């Protein structure tokens, strides 16, 4: 029996709707929290401020016997007037006593304020390894410029793709391809909003790069399916649009799966072995590429069929009334 995307299109739409709704709820919660204040937890790149990454010196006797307690770190920050700071443990596995790191993102601190905070934390949770201390400071103006530039690039890519698809295909093709792109970006945003709430995952300038990459990958897969839809219509002009879409998806399904899998495999390797800098960049691409393959097969194609079928019914009804 041939695979049919049309028969279960309500299921595909429900799955996407549930994932997007969960993301919207997570973004609303993130926005309402004073320590985040945005739909996603922003990294230093966007909001500016000071980030301190401190690693316990496990060469000191009894210094790493227990894990770093977030409550103790928060108490020290509150005593320094930094209660709204973001705290993240980069190694939460208490069985690994050779590397315990705490990352703190707070407002911009001068040299004396950083020294006082570091000294207070050292007294509370233990001595830090001088080689494991990393301090980054980004001004709020620079962070705002990075965010605005990335957002403009993303919007321009959407506009360019929409214009291109409008010329290459009919307007309804372009519209539903745009819906699929919006779906992929929103799914990725929602997943990272949830991760920001649960695991403290932050989004930086690389995240914007990943969104641009996701948009390019997603539209490529959608164009392949839409091209096949046009070919099937040209060969069988009397075939119902639902059957046309089922045939087009069936003919491109293997290619879409193979392309997605061969793309995801190296990303999985980067996520597992690429280090902290590329870890969440690779994760964003994993989420976005998976959503892109899903939307091309199950969202863009089925919505096009639904619209064409509805449009055909409207024309038929108008003809009957005449």
């Amino acid at each position: 029996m041939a695979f049919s995307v049309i028969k279960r299109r309500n299921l595909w739409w429900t799955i996407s709707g549930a994932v997007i709704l969960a993301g919207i709820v997570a973004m609303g919660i993130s926005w309402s929290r004073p320590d985040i204040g945005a739909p996603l937890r922003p990294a230093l790149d966007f909001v500016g401020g000071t980030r301190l990454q401190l690693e316990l010196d496990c060469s000191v006797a009894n210094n790493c016997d227990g894990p770093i307690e977030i409550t103790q770190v928060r108490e020290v920050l509150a005593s320094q007037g930094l209660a709204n700071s973001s705290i993240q443990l980069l190694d939460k596995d208490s069985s690994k006593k050779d590397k315990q790191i705490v990352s703190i993102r707070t407002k911009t601190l001068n040299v004396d304020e950083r020294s006082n905070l570091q000294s207070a934390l050292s007294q509370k949770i233990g001595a830090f390894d001088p080689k494991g201390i990393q301090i980054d400071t980004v001004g709020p103006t620079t962070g705002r410029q990075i965010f605005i530039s990335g957002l403009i690039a993303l919007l321009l890519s959407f506009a360019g793709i929409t214009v291109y698809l409008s010329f290459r295909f009919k307007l309804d093709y372009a519209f539903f391809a745009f819906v699929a792109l919006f779906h992929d970006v929103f799914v990725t945003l929602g997943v990272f909003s949830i991760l920001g709430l649960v695991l403290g995952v932050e989004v930086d300038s690389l995240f914007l790069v990943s969104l641009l990459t996701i948009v390019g990958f997603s539209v490529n897969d959608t164009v392949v399916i839409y091209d096949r839809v046009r070919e099937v219509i040209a060969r069988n002009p009397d075939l119902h649009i639902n059957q046309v879409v089922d045939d087009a998806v069936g003919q491109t399904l293997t290619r879409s799966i193979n392309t997605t899998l061969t793309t995801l495999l190296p990303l999985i390797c980067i996520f597992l072995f690429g280090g902290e800098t590329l870890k969440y960049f690779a994760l964003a691409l994993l989420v976005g590429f998976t959503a892109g393959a899903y939307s091309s097969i199950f969202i863009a194609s089925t919505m096009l069929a639904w619209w064409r079928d509805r449009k055909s019914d409207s024309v038929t009804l108008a003809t009957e009334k005449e």
Side-chain angles (χ1 to χ4, degrees):
M1 182 178 175
F3 174 71
S4 173
V5 293
I6 298 297
K7 288 182 179 179
R8 295 185 178 272
R9 65 185 177 192
N10 289 335
L11 174 62
W12 316 135
W13 297 350
T14 300
I15 292 172
S16 292
V19 173
I20 291 174
L21 180 60
I24 291 174
V25 171
M27 284 188 273
I29 295 173
S30 296
W31 212 326
S32 65
R33 283 181 48 168
D35 60 325
I36 301 178
L40 286 79
R41 187 183 292 269
L44 205 65
D45 292 8
F46 295 141
V47 296
T50 298
R51 180 179 62 192
L52 295 90
Q53 184 170 299
L54 307 171
E55 179 180 346
L56 287 180
D57 187 355
C58 293
S59 64
V60 177
N62 303 322
N63 200 44
C64 297
D65 286 349
I68 297 174
E69 297 291 340
I70 287 184
T71 53
Q72 293 181 334
V73 177
R74 197 171 297 281
E75 287 174 4
V76 173
L77 290 169
S79 68
Q80 300 280 323
L82 305 171
N84 290 331
S85 301
S86 173
I87 306 168
Q88 184 179 7
L89 298 183
L90 300 185
D91 189 352
K92 297 183 179 181
D93 188 350
S94 59
S95 65
K96 296 180 180 179
K97 299 182 179 181
D98 59 339
K99 191 175 183 181
Q100 296 190 43
I101 304 171
V102 60
S103 177
I104 300 168
R105 193 191 72 213
T106 185
K107 66 180 184 180
T108 303
L109 304 177
N110 58 36
V111 176
D112 291 337
E113 290 171 330
R114 293 200 301 264
S115 299
N116 292 337
L117 176 59
Q118 187 177 328
S119 176
L121 287 168
S122 180
Q123 293 176 9
K124 188 73 172 180
I125 64 178
F128 296 111
D129 184 357
K131 296 180 181 178
I133 296 176
Q134 298 180 23
I135 300 175
D136 302 310
T137 299
V138 175
T141 302
T142 302
R144 194 178 303 112
Q145 289 174 345
I146 292 173
F147 174 75
I148 292 174
S149 298
L151 189 59
I152 290 174
L154 188 61
L155 292 175
L156 286 177
S157 69
F158 267 97
I161 288 171
T162 303
V163 171
Y164 166 73
L165 291 175
S166 298
F167 279 104
R168 177 161 182 180
F169 300 101
K170 292 184 178 180
L171 186 59
D172 52 356
Y173 284 82
F175 177 78
F176 291 116
F178 182 83
V179 170
L181 292 179
F182 186 81
H183 167 278
D184 304 337
V185 170
F186 230 89
V187 166
T188 307
L189 292 174
V191 168
F192 270 77
S193 181
I194 294 170
L195 291 176
L197 289 173
V198 177
L199 300 177
V201 175
E202 298 177 342
V203 296
D204 55 14
S205 54
L206 274 180
F207 182 74
L208 288 177
V209 175
S210 71
L211 292 181
L212 289 167
T213 310
I214 289 165
V215 167
F217 176 87
S218 175
V219 75
N220 176 68
D221 217 14
T222 304
V223 164
V224 169
I225 293 176
Y226 279 178
D227 264 335
R228 191 56 58 91
V229 168
R230 289 197 309 183
E231 291 174 7
V232 175
I233 291 176
R235 290 197 305 265
N236 305 282
D238 296 328
L239 201 62
H240 193 278
I241 186 61
N242 288 348
Q243 188 60 50
V244 168
V245 168
D246 273 341
D247 289 349
V249 170
Q251 293 168 20
T252 57
L253 186 60
T254 301
R255 177 198 179 281
S256 297
I257 292 174
N258 289 339
T259 302
T260 303
L261 286 178
T262 53
T263 307
L264 294 183
L265 287 174
L267 289 175
I268 292 172
C269 294
I270 295 173
F271 175 73
L272 295 175
F273 309 112
E276 287 296 324
T277 304
L278 295 176
K279 181 177 182 180
Y280 291 112
F281 172 70
L283 180 59
L285 292 181
L286 282 168
V287 173
F289 285 3
T290 303
Y294 180 89
S295 67
S296 296
I297 298 169
F298 300 105
I299 304 299
S301 60
T302 56
M303 293 194 78
L304 176 66
W306 168 80
W307 170 254
R308 286 290 180 95
D309 187 33
R310 183 172 177 271
K311 186 177 178 183
S312 175
D313 288 344
S314 298
V315 172
T316 302
L317 183 59
T319 303
E320 289 176 354
K321 286 183 177 179
E322 292 175 1

